[in-house]
């Protein structure tokens, strides 16, 4: 009886030990399985996001905004266009040709100076004076015609005497003159008329200046009726 009780107690103790060992083994297995799974799920996602952020292909492109770069390019292009525009503008200004320095009729005043007779000739200086505020030039022969009070021309146009034209620069107030010459009608016995005015046309102009004529009769036809003009020269002919 005593032996049987000991054997039963030993068997019970052994069974309990085996049960405890089995329980401990089961808990250890569950701890081993749950621990690694928890560690993997906790570190995998941040590692993946870090990898994406540091990726040259994705992270760099995503972190670089496209708008400012496009705006800078547009500004650069605009600056280039503005420069070209300015150049063009500056170029357009250079294309304007040199301003003519010729004296225009509207800038001149005309007068007839005092007669300086000699050798049967009547000699009058026809004077053109720069009345503008700028410097201008005259070159060549003026035009001239005697006219009646009604405006009709008396006699032919004066002929031009030979001469070498020069460019005359007139500052404001300065003058140039051409000699108007004809034979004394009392000597030449030419047919005469008394003009009311002398019309003077500056070189290369079409508009005329009208000067009252107060020097009496002039030849208009017949013998020795020719009237002549000289080339313009600096001064007033006095």
């Amino acid at each position: 009886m005593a032996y049987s009780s000991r054997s039963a107690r030993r068997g019970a103790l052994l069974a309990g030990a085996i049960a405890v060992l089995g329980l401990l083994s089961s808990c250890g297995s569950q701890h081993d399985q749950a621990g690694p799974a928890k560690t993997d799920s906790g570190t995998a996602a941040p590692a993946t996001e870090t990898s994406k952020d540091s990726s040259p292909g994705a992270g760099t492109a995503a972190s670089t905004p496209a708008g400012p770069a496009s705006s800078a390019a547009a500004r650069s292009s605009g600056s280039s266009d503005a420069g070209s525009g300015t150049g063009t503008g500056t170029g357009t200004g250079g294309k304007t040709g040199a301003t003519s320095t010729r004296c225009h009729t509207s800038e001149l005043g005309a007068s007839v100076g005092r007669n300086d007779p000699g050798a049967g000739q009547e000699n009058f200086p026809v004077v053109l004076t720069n009345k503008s505020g700028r410097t201008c030039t005259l070159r060549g022969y003026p035009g001239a015609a005697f006219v009646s009070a009604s405006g009709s021309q008396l006699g032919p146009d004066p002929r031009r005497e030979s001469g070498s034209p020069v460019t005359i620069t007139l500052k404001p107030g300065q003058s140039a003159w051409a000699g108007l010459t004809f034979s004394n009608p009392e000597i030449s016995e030419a047919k005469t008329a008394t003009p009311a005015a002398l019309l003077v046309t500056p070189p290369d102009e079409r508009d005329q200046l009208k000067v009252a004529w107060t020097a009496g009769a002039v030849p208009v036809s017949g013998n020795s009726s020719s009237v002549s003009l000289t080339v313009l020269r600096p001064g007033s002919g006095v």
Side-chain angles (χ1 to χ4, degrees), residues 3-225:
Y3 180 79
S4 297
S5 298
R6 290 175 184 168
S7 297
R9 285 197 297 270
R10 289 178 179 173
L13 291 172
L14 181 61
I18 291 172
V20 170
L21 289 174
L23 179 61
L24 292 174
S25 176
S26 175
C27 290
S29 297
Q30 290 176 0
H31 182 271
D32 291 342
Q33 292 176 356
K38 183 177 182 181
T39 301
D40 290 344
S41 63
T43 59
T48 303
E49 291 175 2
T50 302
S51 174
K52 287 181 180 180
D53 290 343
S54 61
S55 170
T60 303
S63 62
T64 304
S70 300
S71 298
R75 286 195 299 270
S76 175
S77 175
S79 298
S80 175
D81 291 343
S84 299
T86 302
T88 303
T90 304
T92 305
K95 289 182 181 179
T96 57
T99 303
S100 172
T101 59
R102 188 179 83 240
C103 297
H104 300 292
T105 302
S106 61
E107 299 174 305
L108 298 169
S111 60
V112 177
R114 185 179 57 194
N115 183 20
D116 183 19
Q121 296 289 109
E122 309 298 325
N123 305 297
F124 296 88
V126 176
V127 184
L128 293 173
T129 302
N130 181 6
K131 66 176 186 178
S132 74
R134 74 178 184 106
T135 298
C136 59
T137 60
L138 292 174
R139 181 183 177 88
Y141 296 84
F146 291 112
V147 294
S148 65
S150 64
S152 299
Q153 182 168 338
L154 303 175
D157 292 338
R159 64 177 178 81
R160 293 179 176 180
E161 292 188 1
S162 60
S164 298
V166 296
T167 299
I168 303 167
T169 299
L170 300 181
K171 293 180 180 180
Q174 292 185 331
S175 302
W177 69 283
L180 178 71
T181 301
F182 54 87
S183 297
N184 187 314
E186 295 181 358
I187 298 173
S188 67
E189 298 182 351
K191 183 177 180 179
T192 64
T194 301
L198 177 70
L199 300 182
V200 182
T201 309
D204 301 314
E205 292 289 303
R206 293 186 177 182
D207 293 334
Q208 300 169 325
L209 296 167
K210 188 175 183 179
V211 183
W213 182 262
T214 59
V218 299
V220 292
S221 64
N223 295 333
S224 302
S225 61

